Amino acid sequence: MTRLNVDLLVLASAMIPVDPPGLVIRDGYVAVEGGRIVSIGRRSSMPPVSAEEVVEGRGMVALPGLVNAHTHVAMTLLRGLASDRPLDEWLREIWRVEAKMGPEEVLDGARLGILEMLLSGTTTFSDMYFHEDSVARAALESGVRAVLSYGMIDAPGWERDPDKTVKELREAERFIEDWHMAGGGRIRAAVGPHAPYTCSEELLRASAELARSRGLRLHIHLSETRREVEELRERAGEGPPSYLDSLGVLGPNVLAAHGVWLDREEISLLASKGASVVHCPASNLKLASGIAPVADMLREGVNVALGTDGPASNDSLDMFREMRLAALLQRGSRLDPRALTSWDVLRMATVNGARALGLADEIGTLEAGKRADLILVDLRRPHLSTQRDPVSALVFSATGDDVDTVIVDGRVIVRARRIMTMDAGEVVERASRAATRLASG
Amino acid sequence: MTRLNVDLLVLASAMIPVDPPGLVIRDGYVAVEGGRIVSIGRRSSMPPVSAEEVVEGRGMVALPGLVNAHTHVAMTLLRGLASDRPLDEWLREIWRVEAKMGPEEVLDGARLGILEMLLSGTTTFSDMYFHEDSVARAALESGVRAVLSYGMIDAPGWERDPDKTVKELREAERFIEDWHMAGGGRIRAAVGPHAPYTCSEELLRASAELARSRGLRLHIHLSETRREVEELRERAGEGPPSYLDSLGVLGPNVLAAHGVWLDREEISLLASKGASVVHCPASNLKLASGIAPVADMLREGVNVALGTDGPASNDSLDMFREMRLAALLQRGSRLDPRALTSWDVLRMATVNGARALGLADEIGTLEAGKRADLILVDLRRPHLSTQRDPVSALVFSATGDDVDTVIVDGRVIVRARRIMTMDAGEVVERASRAATRLASG
């Protein structure tokens, strides 16, 4: 056997590559060279290896880094705002404060959010917001992987402003030019028309065209609340999915957040078009939007990913808590303990997320040839110690605080729960100051 | 002003006494003498104090220790067992393994569970299990506060075994004699007939009489699954609450776990009898039992507490995650963002729990005269740092891992996330070995 010379060798008591489903490798290794996995398997069959860096995950389980497929990460600055108010009051309060946010505030908020995500095992996130350059900058410097979109709105309240349409598209194109494939491909741009009820037909059509011509994802909110669906039916005579389809928007590059209010036909339509839906259970519950038909979507073949949504409606960016909630909610609300298994949910948070973001060839599983995005979770902590099944432990017992090590693109970013790429204390302090500033006056 | 000489002085950036509702004391202090709170208030109005021990909670919020009002704590050893199987298969598997558990296994499991609870801010728990002496022993030595019941069953599958009735009652009385008021009152015994569908009428009547004559709580499972309710209706012609009432069981000393399948009349009945219901949302979802009508119960005046249930159906003992889930679930399932506020949930996990356990005069709030059971949560951690509202932070953003300090009966048991009363490593190792032993063969 020839000796393998690699940058990084990761050892762990258990490894869950996610594909093939059900496989748990006991005492496994992952060898990483040039940011990619070059070899993975049981330690007993490991070739001789020389590694510049070794991460020894004794008592730990290794798995692909989690993919948070829908968020507005800078909203860390708005966390807890109007927490117990009805939706319309909550939204008014959010908008009032957002209006005061400039690029600096978005940068401070994004840095805090990315810090939280990395510490809790998220290696890739998909974002939509304004001043998105600040989010891109924070993502680039932190080492996280990101798919970012400038959120376009030209028709709030159904009333189109034609100047706005042009301006929004121009800004989206500018953002794409500046950021797509930055950081050696770690940063990707997407096209982000906010929602059918805030964008004109013209903007939606042009967004679809822009995404298609550039080969980009189209990130949009879809059927989040009953009210928005009813209003569109009244106005356009059809629900959001067929409305988007009639405008030529739906396709395999579409990343539709929420999908709470979807009927059978709409689910079939999304499946047939190959669109992905991002399930955001905590946000849907907190804002009283409802419970998405995740089990039905999966059965019909829709690719369902998982997201936290913005931390103002969650109020967390911890994907472990999101996995747990997704599993519990489908089982309990459908009175079916098999509605969503721990494996289903783990796939939603990894490989399905990668597919939704167009990164299925790059991330989402641990296999040779893919980028080395992986995390180690410490199974020796008391509340995980007696779990028989590591996947059940990850989904039902773990939180993001159990993540010990985070590796993105082959680079060790978190080790022993400490982040290497950011000054955590300073990030927290700057964000706290910004949040206080926004809260006053 | 006379100088206060006390055992312990706790300082915190914010204090939430829970009563009166809504009050947050900025820069507060709590002075503790002989295990009781003797003074609490703003630091600016603190009398001169000499304290033997000072806990300085800079950047932290102090609140009453959480009350886990329904669990089977030794089931840490069964965590993750048959995690994705339907209820009947899950139960068969649980029973198969439980049959192998002796007093040593229950001791190992209880120690691990108590370790997890203390580390995550639970200072009082209410338990029902077999070999409950082991749970009592673990509780006594750990410093936690507990209300413990030996779980009685004399009619599994509705078929009564008269010998069993007598034996179970004798064992319950023996347990009460041995343990009630142990540890200076820190351990209380309760009477624990398992459920209407596993106990005979004779046992239920005798349990009620026993609890009344000794002035104890009666801890029982109630209306957890639709099937159990339907079966009782068929057999007895009435649902569980009126069935228990007709046997003379319902009263202000009753602690009824679950209450998932309750109609309006049953809720009114429980309210009029002054019985408490323990909501266990994670377990109810995981086992696909359903969603309890918590908002209705609270509106009708039922005292609703919060519990994790056993870690085999949760799979966690973290009451912070339980609070979050309770709040999210009521809001989302009822499409009402005001269905359960963060304050409602915090009360369920503290003062309502204390009331349910008959300890309202002793714990559940921070006020002079009560036992000093309190915890400090570190609000400087990144994911809590920008929360405007400390109660929203506790309910929606925090997990048990954010608990820094835990004090029970005026004794500091956890400090800087380290436990003083147990050898955590040994507890984890013994429990892991026991779980492995139970899993094999």
Side-chain angles (χ1 to χ4, degrees), chain B residues 41-94:
Chain B
R42 284 193 69 112
R43 212 168 156 179
S44 56
S45 58
M46 183 169 78
V49 175
S50 298
E52 290 198 15
E53 187 177 2
V54 177
V55 170
E56 168 68 81
R58 203 186 304 275
M60 298 189 191
V61 56
L63 65 152
L66 303 183
V67 178
N68 185 346
H70 177 68
T71 188
H72 316 285
V73 73
M75 292 180 85
T76 47
L77 299 191
L78 309 177
R79 188 156 36 199
L81 190 67
S83 212
D84 291 319
R85 304 265 195 88
L87 186 60
D88 51 343
E89 282 181 43
W90 177 83
L91 257 180
R92 271 201 302 276
E93 188 60 13
I94 293 288

Coordinates of all heavy atoms in Angstrom, one line a residue, chain B residues 41-94:
Chain B
G41 N -33.5 41.8 46.3 CA -33.9 43.1 45.8 C -32.8 43.6 44.8 O -31.9 42.9 44.4
R42 N -32.9 44.9 44.6 CA -31.9 45.6 43.8 C -30.6 45.8 44.6 O -30.7 46.1 45.8 CB -32.4 47.0 43.3 CG -33.4 46.9 42.2 CD -33.6 48.4 41.7 NE -32.4 48.8 40.9 CZ -32.3 48.9 39.6 NH1 -33.4 48.8 38.9 NH2 -31.2 49.3 39.1
R43 N -29.5 45.7 43.9 CA -28.3 45.8 44.6 C -28.1 47.2 45.2 O -27.5 47.4 46.2 CB -27.1 45.6 43.6 CG -26.0 44.9 44.3 CD -25.0 44.4 43.3 NE -23.7 44.3 43.9 CZ -22.6 43.9 43.3 NH1 -22.7 43.5 42.0 NH2 -21.4 43.9 43.9
S44 N -28.7 48.2 44.5 CA -28.5 49.6 45.0 C -29.3 49.8 46.4 O -28.9 50.7 47.1 CB -29.1 50.5 44.0 OG -30.5 50.2 43.7
S45 N -30.2 48.9 46.7 CA -30.9 49.0 48.0 C -30.5 47.9 48.9 O -31.3 47.6 49.9 CB -32.4 49.1 47.8 OG -32.8 47.9 47.1
M46 N -29.4 47.2 48.6 CA -29.0 46.1 49.5 C -28.4 46.6 50.8 O -27.7 47.5 50.9 CB -27.9 45.3 48.7 CG -27.4 44.0 49.5 SD -26.4 43.0 48.4 CE -24.8 43.9 48.4
P47 N -28.9 46.0 51.9 CA -28.3 46.4 53.2 C -26.8 45.9 53.3 O -26.4 45.1 52.5 CB -29.2 45.6 54.2 CG -29.7 44.4 53.5 CD -29.8 44.9 52.0
P48 N -26.1 46.4 54.2 CA -24.7 45.9 54.4 C -24.7 44.4 54.7 O -25.5 44.0 55.6 CB -24.1 46.7 55.6 CG -25.1 47.9 55.8 CD -26.4 47.4 55.2
V49 N -23.9 43.7 54.0 CA -24.0 42.2 54.1 C -22.6 41.6 54.3 O -21.6 42.0 53.7 CB -24.6 41.6 52.8 CG1 -24.5 40.0 52.9 CG2 -26.0 42.0 52.6
S50 N -22.5 40.7 55.3 CA -21.3 39.8 55.4 C -21.7 38.4 55.0 O -22.7 37.9 55.6 CB -20.7 39.8 56.8 OG -20.3 41.0 57.2
A51 N -21.1 37.9 54.0 CA -21.5 36.5 53.5 C -20.3 35.6 53.5 O -19.2 36.0 53.2 CB -22.1 36.6 52.1
E52 N -20.5 34.4 53.9 CA -19.5 33.4 53.9 C -19.0 33.0 52.5 O -17.9 32.7 52.2 CB -19.9 32.1 54.7 CG -20.0 32.4 56.2 CD -20.0 31.1 56.9 OE1 -19.6 30.0 56.4 OE2 -20.4 31.1 58.1
E53 N -20.0 33.0 51.6 CA -19.8 32.7 50.2 C -20.5 33.7 49.3 O -21.7 34.0 49.6 CB -20.3 31.3 50.0 CG -19.9 30.7 48.6 CD -20.4 29.2 48.4 OE1 -21.0 28.7 49.3 OE2 -20.1 28.7 47.3
V54 N -19.8 34.1 48.3 CA -20.5 35.1 47.3 C -20.4 34.4 45.9 O -19.4 34.0 45.5 CB -19.8 36.4 47.3 CG1 -20.4 37.4 46.3 CG2 -19.8 37.1 48.7
V55 N -21.6 34.4 45.3 CA -21.6 34.0 43.9 C -21.9 35.2 43.0 O -22.9 35.9 43.2 CB -22.7 32.9 43.6 CG1 -22.9 32.7 42.2 CG2 -22.4 31.6 44.4
E56 N -20.9 35.6 42.2 CA -21.0 36.8 41.4 C -21.4 36.5 40.0 O -20.7 35.9 39.2 CB -19.6 37.4 41.4 CG -19.3 38.5 40.5 CD -20.1 39.8 40.8 OE1 -19.7 40.5 41.7 OE2 -21.2 40.0 40.2
G57 N -22.7 36.8 39.7 CA -23.2 36.4 38.4 C -23.2 37.5 37.4 O -24.3 38.0 36.9
R58 N -22.0 38.0 37.1 CA -21.9 39.1 36.1 C -22.4 38.6 34.7 O -22.0 37.6 34.3 CB -20.5 39.6 36.1 CG -20.3 41.0 35.6 CD -18.8 41.3 35.4 NE -18.0 41.1 36.6 CZ -17.9 42.0 37.6 NH1 -18.5 43.2 37.5 NH2 -17.1 41.7 38.7
G59 N -23.3 39.4 34.1 CA -23.8 39.0 32.8 C -24.8 37.9 32.9 O -25.1 37.3 31.8
M60 N -25.2 37.5 34.1 CA -26.1 36.4 34.2 C -27.5 36.8 34.7 O -27.6 37.9 35.3 CB -25.5 35.4 35.1 CG -24.2 34.8 34.6 SD -23.6 33.4 35.5 CE -21.9 33.3 34.8
V61 N -28.4 35.9 34.4 CA -29.8 36.2 35.0 C -30.0 35.1 36.0 O -29.7 33.9 35.8 CB -30.8 36.2 33.9 CG1 -30.8 34.9 33.0 CG2 -32.2 36.4 34.4
A62 N -30.6 35.5 37.1 CA -31.0 34.5 38.2 C -32.5 34.3 38.2 O -33.2 35.2 37.9 CB -30.6 35.1 39.6
L63 N -32.8 33.0 38.3 CA -34.3 32.7 38.4 C -34.5 31.5 39.3 O -33.5 30.8 39.6 CB -34.8 32.4 37.0 CG -34.2 31.2 36.2 CD1 -35.3 30.7 35.2 CD2 -33.0 31.6 35.4
P64 N -35.7 31.2 39.6 CA -35.9 30.0 40.5 C -35.5 28.7 39.7 O -35.6 28.7 38.5 CB -37.5 30.0 40.6 CG -37.9 31.3 40.3 CD -37.0 31.9 39.4
G65 N -34.9 27.8 40.4 CA -34.6 26.5 39.8 C -35.8 25.9 39.1 O -36.9 26.1 39.6
L66 N -35.6 25.2 38.0 CA -36.7 24.7 37.3 C -37.3 23.4 37.9 O -36.5 22.7 38.6 CB -36.3 24.4 35.8 CG -35.8 25.6 35.1 CD1 -35.4 25.3 33.6 CD2 -36.7 26.8 35.1
V67 N -38.6 23.2 37.7 CA -39.2 22.0 38.3 C -39.7 21.1 37.2 O -40.5 21.4 36.4 CB -40.5 22.5 39.1 CG1 -41.2 21.2 39.7 CG2 -40.1 23.4 40.3
N68 N -39.1 19.9 37.2 CA -39.5 18.9 36.2 C -40.5 18.0 36.8 O -40.2 17.1 37.6 CB -38.2 18.1 35.8 CG -38.5 17.1 34.7 OD1 -39.7 16.8 34.4 ND2 -37.5 16.5 34.0
A69 N -41.8 18.3 36.5 CA -42.9 17.7 37.3 C -43.3 16.3 37.0 O -44.1 15.7 37.6 CB -44.1 18.6 37.3
H70 N -42.7 15.8 35.9 CA -43.0 14.4 35.6 C -41.9 13.7 34.8 O -41.6 14.1 33.7 CB -44.3 14.3 34.7 CG -44.6 12.8 34.3 ND1 -45.0 11.9 35.2 CD2 -44.6 12.2 33.1 CE1 -45.2 10.7 34.6 NE2 -45.0 10.9 33.3
T71 N -41.3 12.7 35.5 CA -40.2 12.0 34.7 C -40.1 10.6 35.3 O -40.7 10.2 36.3 CB -38.9 12.7 34.7 OG1 -38.0 12.1 33.9 CG2 -38.3 12.8 36.1
H72 N -39.3 9.8 34.6 CA -38.9 8.4 35.1 C -37.4 8.5 34.8 O -36.9 8.1 33.8 CB -39.6 7.3 34.3 CG -41.0 7.6 34.1 ND1 -42.0 7.4 35.1 CD2 -41.7 8.0 33.0 CE1 -43.2 7.7 34.6 NE2 -43.1 8.0 33.3
V73 N -36.7 9.0 35.8 CA -35.3 9.5 35.5 C -34.3 8.4 35.2 O -33.4 8.6 34.4 CB -34.9 10.4 36.7 CG1 -34.5 9.6 37.9 CG2 -33.7 11.3 36.2
A74 N -34.6 7.2 35.7 CA -33.6 6.1 35.5 C -33.7 5.6 34.0 O -32.8 4.8 33.6 CB -33.9 4.9 36.5
M75 N -34.7 6.1 33.3 CA -34.8 5.6 31.9 C -33.7 6.3 31.0 O -33.7 6.0 29.8 CB -36.2 5.9 31.4 CG -37.2 5.0 32.0 SD -38.9 5.3 31.5 CE -39.0 4.2 30.0
T76 N -32.8 7.0 31.6 CA -31.6 7.4 30.8 C -31.0 6.2 30.2 O -30.3 6.3 29.2 CB -30.6 8.1 31.8 OG1 -30.4 7.3 32.9 CG2 -31.0 9.5 32.1
L77 N -31.1 5.1 30.9 CA -30.4 3.8 30.4 C -31.1 3.3 29.2 O -30.6 2.4 28.5 CB -30.4 2.7 31.5 CG -29.7 3.1 32.8 CD1 -29.5 1.8 33.6 CD2 -28.3 3.7 32.5
L78 N -32.3 3.8 28.9 CA -33.1 3.3 27.7 C -33.2 4.3 26.6 O -33.9 4.2 25.7 CB -34.5 2.9 28.2 CG -34.6 2.0 29.4 CD1 -36.1 1.7 29.7 CD2 -33.9 0.6 29.1
R79 N -32.4 5.4 26.8 CA -32.5 6.5 25.8 C -32.2 6.0 24.4 O -31.2 5.3 24.1 CB -31.5 7.6 26.2 CG -31.7 8.8 25.5 CD -31.2 10.0 26.2 NE -30.0 9.7 27.0 CZ -29.6 10.5 28.1 NH1 -30.3 11.6 28.4 NH2 -28.6 10.2 28.8
G80 N -33.0 6.4 23.5 CA -32.8 6.1 22.1 C -33.2 4.7 21.7 O -33.1 4.3 20.5
L81 N -33.8 4.0 22.6 CA -34.2 2.6 22.4 C -35.4 2.6 21.4 O -36.4 3.3 21.7 CB -34.6 1.9 23.7 CG -34.8 0.4 23.7 CD1 -33.5 -0.3 23.4 CD2 -35.4 0.0 25.0
A82 N -35.3 1.9 20.3 CA -36.4 1.8 19.4 C -37.0 3.1 19.0 O -38.2 3.3 18.9 CB -37.5 0.9 20.0
S83 N -36.1 4.1 18.8 CA -36.4 5.5 18.6 C -37.5 5.8 17.5 O -38.3 6.7 17.7 CB -35.1 6.3 18.3 OG -35.2 7.6 18.9
D84 N -37.4 5.0 16.4 CA -38.3 5.3 15.3 C -39.3 4.3 15.1 O -39.9 4.2 14.0 CB -37.4 5.5 14.0 CG -36.5 6.8 14.1 OD1 -37.0 7.8 14.6 OD2 -35.4 6.7 13.7
R85 N -39.6 3.5 16.1 CA -40.7 2.4 15.9 C -42.0 2.9 16.4 O -42.1 3.8 17.2 CB -40.3 1.2 16.8 CG -38.9 0.7 16.5 CD -38.7 -0.4 15.6 NE -37.4 -0.9 15.9 CZ -37.1 -1.7 16.9 NH1 -38.0 -2.4 17.5 NH2 -35.8 -2.0 17.1
P86 N -43.1 2.3 15.9 CA -44.4 2.7 16.4 C -44.6 2.4 17.8 O -43.9 1.5 18.4 CB -45.4 1.8 15.5 CG -44.5 1.1 14.5 CD -43.1 1.3 14.8
L87 N -45.6 3.0 18.5 CA -45.7 3.0 19.9 C -45.7 1.6 20.5 O -45.1 1.3 21.5 CB -47.0 3.7 20.3 CG -47.2 3.9 21.8 CD1 -46.1 4.7 22.5 CD2 -48.5 4.6 22.1
D88 N -46.5 0.7 19.9 CA -46.6 -0.7 20.5 C -45.3 -1.4 20.5 O -44.9 -2.0 21.5 CB -47.7 -1.5 19.9 CG -47.7 -1.5 18.4 OD1 -46.9 -0.7 17.8 OD2 -48.3 -2.4 17.8
E89 N -44.5 -1.3 19.4 CA -43.2 -1.9 19.3 C -42.3 -1.2 20.3 O -41.4 -1.9 20.9 CB -42.6 -1.8 17.9 CG -43.2 -2.7 16.9 CD -42.5 -2.5 15.5 OE1 -41.3 -2.3 15.5 OE2 -43.3 -2.5 14.5
W90 N -42.3 0.1 20.4 CA -41.5 0.8 21.3 C -41.7 0.3 22.7 O -40.8 0.0 23.5 CB -41.8 2.3 21.2 CG -41.0 3.2 22.1 CD1 -39.7 3.7 21.9 CD2 -41.5 3.7 23.4 NE1 -39.4 4.5 23.0 CE2 -40.4 4.5 23.9 CE3 -42.6 3.6 24.1 CZ2 -40.5 5.1 25.1 CZ3 -42.7 4.2 25.3 CH2 -41.6 5.0 25.8
L91 N -43.0 0.2 23.1 CA -43.4 -0.2 24.5 C -42.9 -1.6 24.8 O -42.3 -1.8 25.8 CB -44.9 -0.1 24.6 CG -45.4 1.1 25.4 CD1 -46.9 1.0 25.5 CD2 -44.8 1.1 26.8
R92 N -43.1 -2.5 23.8 CA -42.6 -3.9 24.0 C -41.1 -3.9 24.3 O -40.6 -4.6 25.1 CB -43.0 -4.8 22.8 CG -44.4 -5.4 22.9 CD -44.5 -6.6 22.0 NE -44.3 -6.3 20.6 CZ -45.2 -5.8 19.8 NH1 -46.4 -5.6 20.2 NH2 -44.9 -5.6 18.5
E93 N -40.4 -3.1 23.5 CA -39.0 -3.1 23.6 C -38.5 -2.5 25.0 O -37.6 -3.0 25.6 CB -38.4 -2.3 22.4 CG -36.9 -2.3 22.3 CD -36.3 -3.7 22.1 OE1 -37.0 -4.7 21.8 OE2 -35.0 -3.8 22.2
I94 N -39.2 -1.5 25.4 CA -38.9 -0.8 26.7 C -39.2 -1.8 27.8 O -38.3 -2.0 28.7 CB -39.8 0.4 26.9 CG1 -39.5 1.5 25.9 CG2 -39.8 0.9 28.3 CD1 -38.2 2.3 26.2

